[in-house]
């Protein structure tokens, strides 16, 4: 940890540091920042800042490595119209030629602040973005600040203007609202960046723990009034999620917690964690349509678990903004803990709180296990390398993703943590579990937002304190070594087996309906794009292949388009019918394929029919998988 000016004010919390809460900082005057989001539906946000700055050379920075993004994702390309002034007179600026996120200027003598004005123009996929009815402000995309300060001590006095009539939800404490502008309490840069604001024409706030401290709220903004109509059953599930997380970890590291949920078909699905909030995004009908709800799945439980695993307990290499500023590169080699364990407990808590049925919990595990087990890229690349290279892989194309490998430190690590859980349960006869590790590692003392860093050795030591085992060797083989097969020990040790049948899993069906990406992955080894209308320009485009499986072996590749199947124009239904018929037919499957204007006929000698992964109970072993899914709270047990 870099100890610099201002750090003395940070209380030590069991080897970590407490993040300065709103209003807790004294002395230096804050940077006043006013964000005008009244034109958010035009995807433009206007920003003005008054920056206290001494005369002389000054470097202004735009946050580069954003916590939770694990990459240099600060959207600097979208900062436009930058003008600096002092006392109304222009101040020239220059971008640092070797550092695109930094600007230099010479602040003139004289009283007053350096004033910055610029616009942020929002791509739809960005963290600060909008549809016609919803806007989300993540403050790092709309601010500049002087480099060289301790970011935990840099203070901001933020205000935000919204389109007329819009409501909002945020973890940022509000001082007052006047004339359509919300004035927030002065806070540290770190906590400002940690506190997005969700706003919209249709916004509903649900109190998940009425009258309790800390409080928990779910703010839902959608593209229609119908979208935000959450059912009483779902409210009950999210209330149970809060209770189950407390039962698991035994302590919380926030003053209050705000789930922000954006429901729009014009803002891509995603999620980002914060200490006291999470920014969750799903399709417009995620709460009102059963198919979309399956696709939303356990997003909110994943992001909520991050408040403990990722924000409070954090790998040493991922402390942007805490012990240094947001500009230095990150070391993400422990993302298999940061994201992998979060993926594990996000799904486990999703099950314990009723967000996902035990059947769908197992279906999800089967899909993860089968995807990882069939993946060609695992023959050259370790799981750890997917974590180290996360900043490249988040933007990896769909084409050849199976050979490249993607951000597998999420799903494959879920299998590894499941295996760790079943080993602890087996070795202790069910008296202990990974839950005991979570309570010891992520729990007490609790209180306000804090960061406590860890290394690989700390994870191993904490596991050994629960159940002595060669945990270092366990992770070395599964994480650091190149392994030709996926780690299936957790499923098998948990009393289940990975099998393939011709029954399409519900989660696959839901995903196909929502994404129009059709799954022939475990049969032919292709994922095929459809656009809903057979014969449309995108219909039949192969997004990716599994090298070694029949389609790739026959010469198919990503980007080619399947035009016809056994002489009939392609649709996903026609290809499915051909797979079924092929089981009782000796003739090869015949495809006409277009490859950049050229057509050719490809014959695939495949007769295995449809193939999808499932878990099947192995009665010779105890059913630890079902034990893991059991709620910890009595309220949960009633359901
Ligand atoms: Zn995550």
């Amino acid at each position: 940890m870099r100890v610099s000016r201002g750090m003395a004010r940070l209380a030590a919390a069991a080897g970590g540091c407490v993040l300065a809460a709103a209003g807790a900082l004294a002395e230096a005057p804050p940077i006043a920042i006013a964000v005008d989001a009244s034109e958010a539906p035009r995807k433009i946000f206007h920003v003005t800042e008054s920056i206290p700055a001494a005369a002389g050379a000054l470097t202004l920075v735009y946050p580069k490595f954003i916590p939770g993004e694990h990459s240099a994702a600060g959207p600097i390309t979208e900062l436009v119209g930058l003008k600096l002034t002092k006392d109304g007179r222009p101040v020239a600026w220059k971008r640092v030629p070797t550092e695109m996120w930094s600007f230099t200027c010479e602040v003139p003598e004289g009283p007053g602040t350096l004033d910055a004005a610029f616009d942020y123009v929002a791509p739809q996929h960005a963290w600060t973005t909008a549809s016609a009815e919803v806007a989300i402000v993540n403050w790092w995309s709309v601010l500049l600040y002087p480099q060289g300060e301790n970011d935990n001590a840099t203070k901001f006095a933020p205000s935000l203007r919204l389109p007329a009539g819009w409501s909002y939800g945020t973890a940022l404490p509000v001082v007052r609202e006047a004339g359509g502008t919300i004035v927030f309490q002065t806070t540290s840069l770190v906590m400002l960046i940690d506190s997005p604001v969700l706003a919209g024409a249709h916004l509903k706030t649900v109190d998940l723990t009425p009258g309790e401290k800390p409080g928990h709220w779910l703010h839902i903004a959608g593209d229609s009034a119908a979208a935000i109509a959450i059912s009483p059953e779902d409210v009950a599930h999210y209330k149970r999620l809060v209770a189950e997380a407390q039962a698991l970890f035994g302590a919380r590291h926030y003053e209050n917690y705000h789930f922000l949920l954006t429901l729009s078909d014009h803002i891509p699905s995603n999620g980002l964690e914060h200490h006291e909030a999470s920014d969750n995004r799903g399709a417009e009908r995620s709460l009102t349509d059963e198919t979309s709800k399956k696709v939303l799945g356990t997003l909110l439980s994943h992001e909520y678990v991050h408040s403990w695993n990722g924000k409070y307990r954090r790998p040493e290499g991922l402390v942007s903004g805490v012990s240094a500023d947001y500009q230095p590169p990150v070391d993400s080699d422990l993302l298999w803990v940061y994201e992998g364990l979060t993926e594990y407990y996000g799904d486990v808590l999703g099950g314990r709180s009723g967000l996902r049925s035990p059947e769908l919990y197992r279906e999800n595990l089967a899909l993860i296990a089968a995807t990882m087990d069939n993946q060609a890229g695992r023959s050259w690349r370790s799981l750890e390398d997917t974590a180290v290279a996360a900043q490249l892989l988040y933007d990896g194309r769909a084409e050849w993703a199976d050979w490249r490998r993607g951000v597998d430190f999420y799903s494959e690590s879920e299998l590894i943590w499941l295996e760790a859980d079943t080993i602890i349960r087996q070795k202790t006869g069910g008296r202990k579990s990974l839950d005991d590790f979570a309570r010891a590692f992520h729990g007490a003392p609790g209180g306000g937002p804090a960061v406590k860093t860890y290394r690989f050795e700390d994870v191993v030591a904490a596991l050994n304190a629960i159940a002595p085992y060669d945990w270092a060797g366990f992770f070395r083989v599964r994480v650091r070594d190149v392994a030709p097969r996926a780690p299936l020990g957790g499923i098998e040790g948990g009393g289940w087996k990975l099998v393939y049948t011709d029954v399409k899993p519900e989660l696959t069906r839901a995903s196909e309906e929502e994404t129009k990406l059709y799954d022939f992955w475990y049969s032919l080894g292709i994922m095929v794009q459809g656009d809903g209308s057979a014969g449309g320009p995108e219909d039949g485009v192969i997004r990716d292949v599994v090298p070694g499986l029949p389609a790739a072996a026959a010469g198919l590749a990503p980007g080619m388009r399947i035009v016809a199947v056994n002489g009939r124009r392609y649709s996903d239904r026609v290809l499915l019918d051909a797979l079924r018929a092929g089981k009782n037919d000796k003739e090869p499957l015949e495809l006409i394929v277009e490859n950049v204007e050229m057509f050719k006929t490809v014959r695939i000698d495949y007769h295995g029919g449809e193939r999808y992964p499932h878990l099947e109970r192995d009665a010779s072993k105890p059913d630890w998988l079902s034990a893991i899914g059991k709620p910890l709270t009595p309220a949960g047990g009633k359901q």
Side-chain angles (χ1 to χ4, degrees):
M1 185 185 305
R2 187 189 70 171
V3 179
S4 59
R5 193 157 59 85
M7 287 300 269
R9 281 197 294 274
L10 303 173
C17 76
V18 173
L19 299 175
L25 299 163
E27 298 151 26
I31 297 168
I33 179 168
V35 174
D36 178 359
S38 61
E39 289 201 287
R42 294 182 66 221
K43 317 278 190 300
I44 189 164
F45 296 72
H46 311 293
V47 183
T48 54
E49 289 183 82
S50 301
I51 303 166
L58 180 71
T59 301
L60 291 173
V61 292
Y62 185 76
K64 180 178 181 182
F65 283 87
I66 307 305
E69 291 238 68
H70 319 312
S71 62
I76 186 64
T77 313
E78 315 304 344
L79 184 157
V80 299
L82 175 62
K83 288 191 174 143
L84 303 179
T85 54
K86 187 162 183 187
D87 296 325
R89 283 192 290 278
V91 175
W93 57 262
K94 269 191 171 168
R95 192 185 303 265
V96 178
T98 52
E99 183 48 68
M100 296 295 106
W101 286 258
S102 298
F103 303 88
T104 53
C105 67
E106 195 69 27
V107 180
E109 296 284 350
T113 56
L114 178 72
D115 297 323
F118 59 91
D119 287 342
Y120 164 80
V121 287
Q124 288 199 301
H125 66 266
W127 289 109
T128 294
T129 191
S131 68
E133 305 288 300
V134 175
I136 314 141
V137 175
N138 275 284
W139 295 90
W140 71 77
S141 354
V142 290
L143 60 79
L144 292 166
Y145 69 100
Q147 190 174 39
E149 292 293 318
N150 165 19
D151 292 352
N152 207 3
T154 301
K155 292 180 297 177
F156 275 84
S159 67
L160 175 65
R161 186 176 185 82
L162 296 175
W166 283 28
S167 310
Y168 66 93
T170 180
L172 268 186
V174 174
V175 176
R176 64 179 181 278
E177 291 176 45
T181 297
I182 311 149
V183 176
F184 299 101
Q185 210 171 314
T186 295
T187 190
S188 68
L189 173 61
V190 175
M191 290 312 293
L192 183 65
I193 281 182
D194 197 60
S195 307
V197 181
L198 172 64
H202 315 282
L203 186 137
K204 168 183 274 187
T205 293
V206 181
D207 189 344
L208 296 174
T209 49
E212 290 180 26
K213 188 102 186 87
H216 300 79
W217 291 272
L218 169 59
H219 308 279
I220 311 163
D223 272 344
S224 64
I228 63 173
I230 187 169
S231 69
E233 292 76 27
D234 284 332
V235 170
H237 294 150
Y238 285 109
K239 286 182 170 182
R240 275 172 53 188
L241 172 60
V242 171
E244 285 291 334
Q246 173 66 8
L248 171 62
F249 295 115
R252 291 149 167 157
H253 310 283
Y254 49 77
E255 303 288 347
N256 290 294
Y257 193 88
H258 296 256
F259 295 91
L260 311 181
L261 176 57
T262 303
L263 300 174
S264 171
D265 293 341
H266 308 289
I267 296 172
S269 297
N270 213 337
L272 189 64
E273 64 275 20
H274 300 285
H275 289 275
E276 302 198 297
S278 51
D279 178 346
N280 308 275
R281 303 164 180 207
E284 182 176 338
R285 290 170 178 78
S286 295
L287 292 178
T288 50
D289 174 275
E290 288 305 315
T291 298
S292 293
K293 198 181 286 183
K294 286 193 184 97
V295 175
L296 181 72
T298 55
L299 174 63
L300 274 71
S301 54
H302 175 104
E303 302 305 341
Y304 186 40
V305 166
H306 267 317
S307 182
W308 290 265
N309 186 52
K311 302 309 293 188
Y312 171 51
R313 293 312 307 264
R314 204 180 307 181
E316 271 188 346
L318 290 172
V319 289
S320 297
V322 177
S323 58
D325 61 22
Y326 293 93
Q327 311 314 111
V330 297
D331 173 353
S332 57
D333 70 332
L334 286 174
L335 278 178
W336 57 273
V337 185
Y338 181 122
E339 291 295 355
L341 183 59
T342 301
E343 193 75 351
Y344 179 66
Y345 269 119
D347 282 343
V348 167
L349 288 184
R352 289 179 186 170
S353 59
L355 284 167
R356 190 180 259 170
S357 69
E359 292 73 28
L360 289 187
Y361 172 74
R362 289 195 297 271
E363 225 181 51
N364 183 56
L365 279 181
L367 286 164
I368 290 171
T371 307
M372 293 301 126
D373 204 35
N374 284 280
Q375 193 174 54
R378 62 181 314 113
S379 68
W380 70 274
R381 187 170 212 166
S382 69
L383 185 66
E384 186 176 57
D385 187 60
T386 70
V388 169
Q391 49 193 295
L392 307 176
L393 294 176
Y394 275 110
D395 292 328
R397 292 178 300 132
E399 291 76 13
W400 294 109
D402 187 77
W403 181 222
R404 182 186 306 114
R405 292 200 86 166
V407 288
D408 298 344
F409 51 84
Y410 286 82
S411 46
E412 185 157 326
S413 306
E414 177 167 1
L415 301 176
I416 294 171
W417 287 106
L418 171 66
E419 189 173 1
D421 202 344
T422 56
I423 287 172
I424 297 171
R425 287 171 194 257
Q426 283 161 3
K427 289 179 74 68
T428 62
R431 283 180 293 104
K432 288 188 177 172
S433 71
L434 196 67
D435 293 359
D436 294 283
F437 161 79
R439 201 163 300 126
F441 196 71
H442 300 93
V451 178
K452 188 176 174 186
T453 59
Y454 62 82
R455 299 175 180 180
F456 175 75
E457 295 74 27
D458 301 319
V459 177
V460 168
L463 283 164
N464 271 319
I466 303 301
Y469 187 67
D470 178 17
W471 291 111
F474 172 87
F475 289 120
R476 188 169 54 245
V477 169
R478 285 157 187 78
V479 176
R480 295 184 173 167
D481 290 354
V482 172
R485 298 297 302 274
L488 302 182
I491 289 171
E492 289 161 4
W496 294 75
K497 280 186 301 203
L498 178 65
V499 298
Y500 293 86
T501 75
D502 60 3
V503 178
K504 190 178 281 191
E506 278 185 55
L507 290 175
T508 302
R509 199 178 294 281
S511 158
E512 286 183 346
E513 210 172 297
E514 191 113 330
T515 64
K516 307 293 179 215
L517 200 57
Y518 293 91
D519 183 335
F520 302 94
W521 202 242
Y522 310 100
S523 49
L524 297 173
I526 47 176
M527 204 57 89
V528 187
Q529 189 73 50
D531 65 0
S533 59
E538 284 289 295
D539 219 16
V541 173
I542 297 170
R543 282 292 167 231
D544 200 14
V545 301
V546 184
L549 290 193
L556 296 193
M560 292 181 182
R561 188 165 81 93
I562 305 173
V563 178
V565 180
N566 291 343
R568 182 167 178 180
R569 188 166 67 191
Y570 169 84
S571 77
D572 58 290
R573 303 304 300 255
V574 167
L575 182 51
L576 271 184
D577 287 344
L579 283 188
R580 288 174 194 141
K583 285 183 85 170
N584 309 307
D585 193 348
K586 291 203 163 46
E587 291 299 311
L589 183 71
E590 191 174 280
L591 305 178
I592 299 174
V593 175
E594 181 185 5
N595 183 17
V596 204
E597 293 190 359
M598 302 300 167
F599 293 82
K600 69 172 176 178
T601 301
V602 175
R603 288 181 185 81
I604 305 177
D605 201 15
Y606 172 76
H607 301 280
E610 288 181 83
R611 276 181 97 238
Y612 306 103
H614 294 275
L615 295 193
E616 192 176 88
R617 178 79 179 101
D618 175 0
S620 71
K621 293 175 182 163
D623 184 0
W624 294 119
L625 219 56
S626 298
I628 288 167
K630 288 234 162 59
L632 301 179
T633 61
K638 279 183 208 149
Q639 293 257 336

